[in-house]
Amino acid sequence: MSSGPGAASAPAPDPHHSPPTSDAPAARPARKSSMFSSLRVRNYRLFFMGQVVSNTGTWMQRIAQDWLVLSLTGSSAAVGITTALQFLPMLLFGLYGGVLVDRLPKRPTLLVTQSSMAVTALALALAVLTGQVQVWHVYVAAFAVGLATVVDNPARQSFVSELVGPGQLQNAVSLNSANFQSARLVGPAVAGLLITGVGTGYAFLFNGLSFIAPLTGLLLMRARDLHVVERAPRGKGQLREGVRYVTGRPELIWPIVLVGFVGTFAFNFPVYLSAFADDVFHAGAGAYSMFNTLMAVGSVVGALLAARRGTARLRLLIVAAMAFGALEILAATTPTLWMFALLMVPLGLFGMTVNVTTNTSIQMSTDPAMRGRVMALYMMIFLGGSPVGAPIVGWITDTYGARVGLAAGGAVAALAAAVIGLILARVGNLRLSVGWHGGHPRVRFVPREHQEELARAA
């Protein structure tokens, strides 16, 4: 249990008492007047500032890595293989990483994982700058980063609650996403300039050095101000316990299944966008960076809107996932580069809404002692699906073209959202209600008993 204030956020709500897709939020943190209220917490502010620098380097490396592989091989499938190798460790070992995170203190764990990723980036920079790089070097570096991510991702996700406490968790998670996506505005643009000007090696070098900022922030934090959660003792069956905990709660398992489909087939943008920039529009690395930058604009807007909302409704998750899939299908049909580029903004907005809503609702519905394992399962499904999806969508893109690949990914996301929305409505004993409110049509899910009462009253 949390030693800080507001420990009552822990137990997950009983789905039989709180329907998962009703108008009630999955969890209801206290509303705050400021969009940036969690930045008042000193430890979170240090964490946030360090991530600003490191996230910029991360996005620079992502762009440089994808373009380097495409330059070395000329194959979208090879880009997909690189993405798959980076996320394969999460698929294989993600749950074990969650068990470790629940047992270990978060801050020392992050010092180790962040340092290992810095070393990997610097080693890849050395290989590129000395002219010795081969595609297998990039594969090895991607896999090494993936191994560190197995522990780093659930540790960072669950560490946020220790920094700010449950009352500020929605705001802090949303600002983290805005931070990451704001770096996406700068990182791809700088990476594009570096790639065209001096080569990819300096992007890897900057990323390696950027880890100095989060490491310094972690070292400067005040341990006494952390909302430390009691760590799980070493024992048998903890992995199975975490899986049973999630599968027994519809408000956890079905959102995770949904983001699994979305992450596996619809979020493979390294494959899609590099293919559109190179094969469809023949515009090069500059267009690839522009696509990522414009998507980041929408993502930042989506994250800031989530920070302001203060609630995480599963109904919003379903609608956002369906809109995200529909926008991908629309983008796949656009005839010009500029129309395609402009659609990156709403794609980023709805994609970030899916991400933040799922992350926040899961964290707020989870016992703190189980949070590492639950977040590891969430990240394993969301990110670990890429090793399965990336080679598939890469093959589809190479064989049938980028437009078919992107449209197929969007169709999977939209269909999965529709089906899981119906499942959640059935589990929550809900029915579709269509009516008027304030002179405007309103469509929503309501409990069956409530709709029957309205029908009798009519």
Side-chain angles (χ1 to χ4, degrees):
M1 299 298 290
S2 172
S3 61
S9 70
D14 187 341
H16 299 291
H17 296 293
S18 179
T21 56
S22 70
D23 285 343
R28 190 182 298 277
R31 290 184 179 273
K32 298 297 178 181
S33 59
S34 172
M35 185 181 289
F36 306 99
S37 55
S38 56
L39 288 175
R40 296 169 188 154
V41 180
R42 179 182 182 274
N43 282 347
Y44 180 73
R45 191 163 61 247
L46 287 169
F47 179 81
F48 185 90
M49 293 170 63
Q51 292 300 306
V52 168
V53 180
S54 181
N55 286 337
T56 301
T58 296
W59 276 110
M60 290 176 65
Q61 173 150 329
R62 284 191 178 189
I63 301 301
Q65 176 179 281
D66 298 339
W67 202 256
L68 177 62
V69 171
L70 195 62
S71 300
L72 291 172
T73 66
S75 169
S76 294
V79 177
I81 291 171
T82 308
T83 303
L85 286 170
Q86 186 159 333
F87 296 120
L88 180 62
M90 180 65 72
L91 181 63
L92 297 177
F93 311 117
L95 288 177
Y96 296 98
V99 171
L100 287 175
V101 167
D102 280 337
R103 292 177 182 173
L104 298 172
K106 307 297 187 297
R107 186 163 60 144
T109 300
L110 288 171
L111 286 169
V112 173
T113 56
Q114 296 276 294
S115 298
S116 65
M117 288 190 282
V119 171
T120 302
L122 292 173
L124 189 55
L126 181 63
V128 176
L129 292 173
T130 57
Q132 303 300 313
V133 68
Q134 299 179 37
V135 69
W136 70 267
H137 294 146
V138 187
Y139 289 164
V140 170
F143 189 77
V145 170
L147 285 174
T149 302
V150 167
V151 176
D152 184 79
N153 253 335
R156 278 190 298 107
Q157 298 287 338
S158 55
F159 188 51
V160 172
S161 65
E162 295 191 10
L163 291 171
V164 300
Q168 294 276 19
L169 183 58
Q170 161 79 11
N171 184 264
V173 168
S174 300
L175 289 182
N176 267 5
S177 298
N179 183 333
F180 187 70
Q181 298 301 328
S182 296
R184 191 175 179 178
L185 293 171
V186 179
V190 176
L193 292 174
L194 287 177
I195 292 170
T196 56
V198 294
T200 57
Y202 288 95
F204 298 123
L205 177 62
F206 182 93
N207 184 45
L209 296 176
S210 73
F211 283 97
I212 294 173
L215 291 172
T216 301
L218 288 167
L219 292 171
L220 292 176
M221 288 178 184
R222 295 173 182 161
R224 65 180 181 272
D225 292 340
L226 295 174
H227 300 253
V228 179
V229 175
E230 181 180 352
R231 299 198 299 272
R234 182 183 297 272
K236 293 182 178 180
Q238 289 177 320
L239 191 153
R240 291 191 300 273
E241 180 186 11
V243 174
R244 284 197 301 268
Y245 181 86
V246 172
T247 55
R249 289 164 172 77
E251 74 277 11
L252 295 179
I253 184 60
W254 289 113
I256 290 176
V257 171
L258 174 57
V259 299
F261 279 103
V262 174
T264 300
F265 297 102
F267 261 91
N268 277 291
F269 289 110
V271 177
Y272 296 138
L273 299 187
S274 61
F276 267 85
D278 194 45
D279 299 330
V280 177
F281 299 120
H282 309 289
Y288 181 50
S289 296
M290 179 182 66
F291 295 156
N292 281 277
T293 300
L294 289 172
M295 185 173 289
V297 172
S299 298
V300 171
V301 173
L304 292 177
L305 288 175
R308 191 174 185 84
R309 272 195 301 271
T311 58
R313 300 176 186 270
L314 293 184
R315 181 184 65 178
L316 175 63
L317 170 62
I318 299 300
V319 173
M322 291 181 68
F324 179 77
L327 282 167
E328 284 201 338
I329 296 172
L330 178 62
T333 65
T334 54
T336 67
L337 184 148
W338 292 109
M339 290 178 64
F340 182 85
L342 289 175
L343 282 174
M344 295 300 102
V345 177
L347 264 174
L349 190 153
F350 283 104
M352 182 50 56
T353 302
V354 170
N355 191 347
V356 172
T357 303
T358 307
N359 190 315
T360 306
S361 65
I362 289 173
Q363 289 213 50
M364 294 301 295
S365 299
T366 302
D367 189 312
M370 299 290 296
R371 193 167 282 147
R373 278 164 283 182
V374 173
M375 293 309 295
L377 179 61
Y378 161 62
M379 299 306 296
M380 183 189 77
I381 298 299
F382 184 43
L383 299 180
S386 292
V388 177
I392 294 174
V393 300
W395 175 80
I396 293 173
T397 299
D398 279 344
T399 305
Y400 300 103
R403 295 188 185 278
V404 174
L406 182 59
V412 170
L415 180 60
V419 171
I420 290 173
L422 292 174
I423 291 172
L424 284 171
R426 185 176 181 85
V427 168
N429 197 31
L430 304 175
R431 286 183 177 177
L432 185 67
S433 172
V434 181
W436 289 85
H437 179 74
H440 300 284
R442 180 170 67 175
V443 180
R444 59 176 179 158
F445 286 107
V446 297
R448 291 176 184 270
E449 297 82 359
H450 178 64
Q451 190 177 45
E452 290 168 0
E453 290 174 3
L454 292 176
R456 287 194 296 270

